């Protein structure tokens, strides 16, 4: 290990640490400057791509040697790590999906053949959320976890969060990686942490209220549950702004980058709204918003490309899209070694600006406008692509409607399920349905049936909320 790179944990605490050192990371346990947690964030795009290639070559060799799943797959496609001379050569390797891992784990339970080390050498075990496929087991080594903490520290610091702040974590601690990793990074940064755990929402809000204003604070939550906490605060007779949150860090679903949702949360909480997004299979945040982007409409998210290679593909052909065009994401995680993700089809739909000249000074590319949709959630209605985020914008922009919604799919029909605001007479529901139908038609050029129900009809979840449901 280079003496110029200082890690959060000692070699003894991590065990086997593999992969190349990146000198620009310097001391990973503390901020590089008042603007950046890591000096890597400010290096040139050309240097970032050198780092990508350096890490990629090691990852492919390491994975081929230690992972039966990938070795057999790559041998069957007649590709090998030595084939990679440039970043473009990664496209020679096959794409893998969640269904490939699901099949592997079913054939060789419980962990499958993807891990590169025995279960005893892993620190954390996870289960994917299962919103679009059968839940799968995923694991992290101590080094994987340490790398994830670094990426979350960088991202939270990019939001404007600093050592000494207090983080409120509004989740029940299920076996989903994102919130746990953010929690660990918050502690590692030198912040205080307040977990919700199994507290009912009303009791949780009272806890927040009891200590409100005694430290700069942020809330980590899904966008959906951030809205539910707003509703619950109002039901209890006080404003969410009384809880004195300076920042909302939104995970698991797009939030800050959806203008109507951003506006709703900004006004309700009187706070800055940020995204921090990734996937269980890739670990660590792939995307995060900075302080400068939080001032923009729509918000765009930086991509941590020194730890992730994000390819944009045509969702129908899975071939690369032209530079500057939007596509669905295929991600290679360069800092996860225990259970690698090489060309994993994440499926977020976005457009990338490689040289954004962001006012924050970071040279990391931007996902312009954030995540537009998850490809798995895109619906085809009468030959037209329908994104849930588009419906969300309509729902959360119309007076008289609540903020929850679902897209109910039955055969070839998609129905929009929404709620009325409290106090709206039921006789006005048909008029609300017509207004929403017209607004969606104006945006998406398709007419959808709309059903308006009384308030609190649709369930509220702390974790990722499935927007597309079966009828």
């Amino acid at each position: 290990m280079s003496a110029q790179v200082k890690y959060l944990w000692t070699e003894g605490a991590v065990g086997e640490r593999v992969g190349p050192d990146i000198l620009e990371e310097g001391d990973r346990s503390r901020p590089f400057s008042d603007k950046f947690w890591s000096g890597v964030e400010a290096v040139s795009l050309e240097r970032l791509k050198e780092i990508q290639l350096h890490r990629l070559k090691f990852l492919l060799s390491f994975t081929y040697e230690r992972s039966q799943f990938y070795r057999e797959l790559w041998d069957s496609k007649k590709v090998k790590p030595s084939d990679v001379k440039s970043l473009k050569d990664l496209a020679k390797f096959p794409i893998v999906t969640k269904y490939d891992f699901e099949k592997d784990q079913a054939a060789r339970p419980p962990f499958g053949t993807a891990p590169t080390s025995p279960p005893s050498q892993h620190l954390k075990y996870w289960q994917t959320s299962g919103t679009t496929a059968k839940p799968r087991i995923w694991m992290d080594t101590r080094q994987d976890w340490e790398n994830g903490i670094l990426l979350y520290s960088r991202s939270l610091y990019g939001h404007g969060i600093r050592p000494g702040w207090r983080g409120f974590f509004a989740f029940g601690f299920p076996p989903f990686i994102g919130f746990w990793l953010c929690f660990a990074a918050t502690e590692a940064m030198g912040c205080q942490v307040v977990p919700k755990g199994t507290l009912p929402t009303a009791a949780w809000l009272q806890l927040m209220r009891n200590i409100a204003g005694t430290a700069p604070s942020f809330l980590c939550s899904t966008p959906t549950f951030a809205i539910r906490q707003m509703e619950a605060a109002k039901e209890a007779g006080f404003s969410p702004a009384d809880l004195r949150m300076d920042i909302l860090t939104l995970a698991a679903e797009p939030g800050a980058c959806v203008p109507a949702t951003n506006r709703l949360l900004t006004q309700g909480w009187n706070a800055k709204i940020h995204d921090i997004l990734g996937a269980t299979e890739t670990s660590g945040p792939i995307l995060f918003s900075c302080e400068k982007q939080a001032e923009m409409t729509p918000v765009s998210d930086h991509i941590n490309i020194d730890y992730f290679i994000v390819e944009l593909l045509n969702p129908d052909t899975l071939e690369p899209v032209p530079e500057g065009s939007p596509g669905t994401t295929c991600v290679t995680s360069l800092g996860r070694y225990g259970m690698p993700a090489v060309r994993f089809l994440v499926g977020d739909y976005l457009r990338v600006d490689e040289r954004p000249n962001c006012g924050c000074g970071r040279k990391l590319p931007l996902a312009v406008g954030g995540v537009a949709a998850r490809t798995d959630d895109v619906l085809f209605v009468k030959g037209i692509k329908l994104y849930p985020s588009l419906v969300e914008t309509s729902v959360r922009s119309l007076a008289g409607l609540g903020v929850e919604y679902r897209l109910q799919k039955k055969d070839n029909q998609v129905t929009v399920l929404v709620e009325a605001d409290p106090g709206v007479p039921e006789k006005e529901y048909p008029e609300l349905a017509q207004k929403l139908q017209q607004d969606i038609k104006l945006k998406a050029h398709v007419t959808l049936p709309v059903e308006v129900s009384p308030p609190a009809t649709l369930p509220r979840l702390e974790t990722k909320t499935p927007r597309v449901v079966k009828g």
Side-chain angles (χ1 to χ4, degrees), residues 9 92 111 120 173 211 261 290 299 317 320 340 362 425 434 446 458:
W9 294 335
K92 298 175 181 178
F111 307 119
S120 62
F173 287 79
I211 57 177
T261 300
C290 66
V299 170
T317 65
R362 288 174 177 81
Q434 185 178 29
V446 65
L458 298 171

Side-chain angles (χ1 to χ4, degrees), residues 52-70:
Q52 281 187 320
L53 183 58
H54 191 33
R55 283 183 162 147
L56 175 63
K57 287 181 175 180
F58 175 83
L59 175 69
L60 294 177
S61 296
F62 177 85
T63 301
Y64 185 80
E65 178 184 336
R66 299 200 185 190
S67 171
Q68 179 184 341
F69 172 86
Y70 281 103

Side-chain angles (χ1 to χ4, degrees), residues 21-87:
D21 288 323
I22 304 301
L23 300 185
E24 290 92 339
E25 288 190 340
D27 186 346
R28 295 171 30 139
S29 66
R30 63 182 60 194
F32 170 75
S33 70
D34 61 348
K35 293 173 64 176
F36 310 129
W37 186 271
S38 175
V40 176
E41 299 172 76
V43 303
S44 68
L45 178 65
E46 289 71 25
R47 174 57 182 150
L48 286 167
K49 291 195 172 185
E50 287 176 359
I51 293 170
Q52 281 187 320
L53 183 58
H54 191 33
R55 283 183 162 147
L56 175 63
K57 287 181 175 180
F58 175 83
L59 175 69
L60 294 177
S61 296
F62 177 85
T63 301
Y64 185 80
E65 178 184 336
R66 299 200 185 190
S67 171
Q68 179 184 341
F69 172 86
Y70 281 103
R71 184 168 56 252
E72 291 178 354
L73 175 64
W74 296 346
D75 283 348
S76 72
K77 302 298 182 182
K78 294 182 170 49
V79 290
K80 54 188 182 296
S82 59
D83 292 339
V84 172
K85 309 298 182 186
S86 70
L87 291 173

